[in-house]
Amino acid sequence: MKKHIALALGLFGTSVACAQSDFTWHGYLSQGLTQSKDSSFITDDNNVTGELTEIGLNGYYQLAKNISIAGQVNYLDGGNRFEQGARLDYLFVDWKLPDLPGGWRGQIHAGRFKNTHWLYSSTRDVPQTRYTSVLPQSVYFDGFRDVALGSNGILTSFSHYGKEYTWELNWSYGRSNINDSQRDFLLGNEAKGKIKQDFVHQASVFVQPSFMTWRLGASWLNSDFRYTPSQDDNRLSGGANVERFMLSAQYFAENWEVSAELLREKQDSQGLFAPDFAEKRTGEGGFVQFRYLFNNEFSGLIGYDTYINDTSDSDGKDLEARTGGLIPAYFGYQDTYTLGLRWDIAPKWRLQGEYHWVEGATRVVSLLNRDVASHADKHWEMWSMQLTYWF
């Protein structure tokens, strides 16, 4: 990872010396205060902390008429939500294809490209584009942020701007490296080996009318993971397949906006805990958000987000029974109500605040941790205040 970050910084530094018309760069600085109460999702022991820091630098360099390079390095500190430190969010070659028959346009991204298949997947790394610091965890759960943000491989995107509708078709294939914190989220803190994503295959389609008041989309994801234990590991060799289907919708009016996503994901696991271990489950969830613009400076948001870990056990009672009470029933689901406010203080300056009321904890920590019950009460809360400047 350090080698990749150094490569990206070298790219930016070299490009600055090039002609101004060939290179553009932007960045952001964001700092805030945050707390999770009665849960270790963000902070421990109900502490208020300044672990809400985001610093990013991105650049775009035009190599030729239809070929460019884009990249972003990022420093991230979000408490317990993800691993603290610098990372390479993306670095890819962008090839804009010649005009295609029927008025279609296309482009290919090769390298570490960004996920463009969900409503907010391609903007979740930029704080000034998000309506809340903590996105709806049913779809954008932070324990898997770096893997879901992008992949190493190839992405193709095709668009058609017709008289009545605009169509967008996306296809991608690649994989992401999985660090230890993401391994722990998947397999629990007792896992000591290495987990690898063999591949992630995604496709999506979006349609929007020419008057731009709404947008509908559908996406599909399929991915395989493989685990190799260490010598002193209590996990065994094994793997898992995840398949996700999603529907998305947005509606825009003069002063308000509604957005929603629904998902259904199937997981098939083999090995890991016993040679003959096999488990299949289906999770379901989604969110809806309503945003209102009071004027050019102030806006507000209300939202509801829900996720069920297993549709055959929506209240988690079977989960609690199977584990002899080790995992409480409320770790089988999670319901979140959100209230947010945004103030654009000055050009390129924004202050944003949010409060979340939560019941359940299935997105807080891996259900494979033996001390899972210590990570959250049934009812818990979280909030944040974040100041952002971008340039």
Side-chain angles (χ1 to χ4, degrees), residues 144-178:
F144 226 41
R145 181 258 188 201
D146 292 342
V147 175
L149 178 66
S151 300
N152 307 314
I154 188 168
L155 163 73
T156 63
S157 181
F158 298 91
S159 56
H160 182 272
Y161 297 89
K163 292 183 179 180
E164 296 184 357
Y165 295 99
T166 296
W167 290 88
E168 180 183 331
L169 305 175
N170 304 298
W171 172 88
S172 65
Y173 189 90
R175 59 176 296 271
S176 283
N177 296 323
I178 300 179

Side-chain angles (χ1 to χ4, degrees), residues 319-352:
L319 174 67
E320 183 172 12
R322 288 198 316 269
T323 61
L326 194 64
I327 301 178
Y330 63 84
F331 269 85
Y333 62 89
Q334 186 166 317
D335 296 319
T336 305
Y337 299 88
T338 299
L339 177 66
L341 292 172
R342 173 187 286 184
W343 177 26
D344 288 333
I345 304 171
K348 300 182 180 181
W349 284 93
R350 175 172 294 155
L351 181 64
Q352 189 163 283

Side-chain angles (χ1 to χ4, degrees), residues 227-229 233-239 270-276:
Y227 182 73
T228 303
D233 211 332
N234 65 355
R235 300 284 189 259
L236 304 177
S237 296
Q270 307 285 335
L272 301 174
F273 309 101
D276 58 348

